[in-house]
Each structure stands twice: as structure tokens, then as C-alpha cells.
Amino acid sequence: GLKTIAIVTGHRKLYAVTLDGMEAIDGHACYHLSLVPAYASPHLRLRELWVDAQTYQTRKLITDGNFTGSGVPWLITFGDVDGAMYITSESALKPVGVGEHRYEQATVSFDGVTAEPRPPAGDLANWFVTKENIMAEPDAPGGP
């Protein structure tokens, strides 16, 4: 039989969750879960999850909307960087409209993610690290 990955008790059932089977993601056996919100809410955006069967880390997910504020489904993929999972990309699964613009395809990728040292104990509130060009568009092919 299947291993128990969690026992959850809650006061409000936010999602109906079903197991759609097992799938390999980057060589990792993952549980493929479908989630249906119990009621309409812009905060209940999860639709599908692929959870590593060994570590229980999320390997990818589909959400109904993302930071753009659209109701377009987005595929979010995760990768391991120095033992921690980070988002590697977000791709729209349908065309995206932003203002007057319409994009048939949209992907946000997070390249060159590296681990940073933890802040000193007791100094979490005052510790913020940033680097130049932390959020920069990649150069167009053939030059800037």
C-alpha cells in the first residue's frame, strides 16, 4: 500500500485532495495530487501538487494565478540549491494579458540562485541582503 505522508486535522476543509498517481520529476518519484477548493476564494489558488515521495518536498505545482493577479494557471517548478528547494521557473499555461498587452507565452525563470549565510542569532529583524541587479531582465540575444 501507499505510505502515509500526513495526517491533517482542521476546523475548515479548504480543499478536497485526491491522489492522481505517481510520476517521476527530475528522477524523483512524486505523488501527483489534485486540489479542488471547498469554496471560491482568490486565496485558494493551488490546483495540483507533485510531492517527492521520499522527502515530501514540493517538486512542482499548478496554481490558479500568480503575482500578476491574473486567473491564468501557472506551472511552478522547484530545484535543489545546496540542499534547499527554490523556485526555478513559473510558466503561464494560457495566454496572459497585462494592461493592453497580450502574451501567448510567459515564463519567469530564476537563474543563478545561490544560498546566502544565515543572519546572526538575534539579528533577524535588522538583517537584509541585496545585490545589484537582483531583479534584472536578461540581455536580448545579440547584445543589450
Side-chain angles (χ1 to χ4, degrees):
L2 294 173
K3 290 176 22 179
T4 299
I5 60 173
I7 296 174
V8 178
T9 303
H11 300 286
R12 297 181 350 191
K13 295 182 180 179
L14 300 178
Y15 291 96
V17 180
T18 57
L19 175 64
D20 289 343
M22 299 291 292
E23 294 180 26
I25 306 292
D26 296 329
H28 298 268
C30 294
Y31 299 108
H32 179 190
L33 306 171
S34 289
L35 294 86
V36 177
Y39 57 91
S41 170
H43 302 290
L44 301 177
R45 299 185 326 204
L46 291 175
R47 296 297 181 261
E48 294 182 62
L49 291 170
W50 286 262
V51 179
D52 191 300
Q54 297 297 313
T55 64
Y56 308 117
Q57 294 174 316
T58 302
R59 293 282 170 179
K60 74 178 182 178
L61 64 86
I62 294 178
T63 184
D64 185 26
N66 74 346
F67 62 89
T68 63
S70 71
V72 171
W74 287 76
L75 173 64
I76 316 299
T77 58
F78 297 83
D80 185 298
V81 176
D82 296 329
M85 297 301 287
Y86 290 90
I87 294 174
T88 57
S89 68
E90 299 184 23
S91 298
L93 299 177
K94 292 183 179 178
V96 177
V98 178
E100 299 177 11
H101 304 282
R102 177 182 165 92
Y103 301 95
E104 293 300 316
Q105 298 178 13
T107 297
V108 178
S109 62
F110 302 90
D111 300 322
V113 173
T114 59
E116 290 291 332
R118 305 278 289 152
D123 194 27
L124 292 177
N126 299 317
W127 200 74
F128 180 76
V129 173
T130 187
K131 294 181 180 177
E132 288 183 25
N133 300 322
I134 194 165
M135 295 290 286
E137 293 291 329
D139 289 337

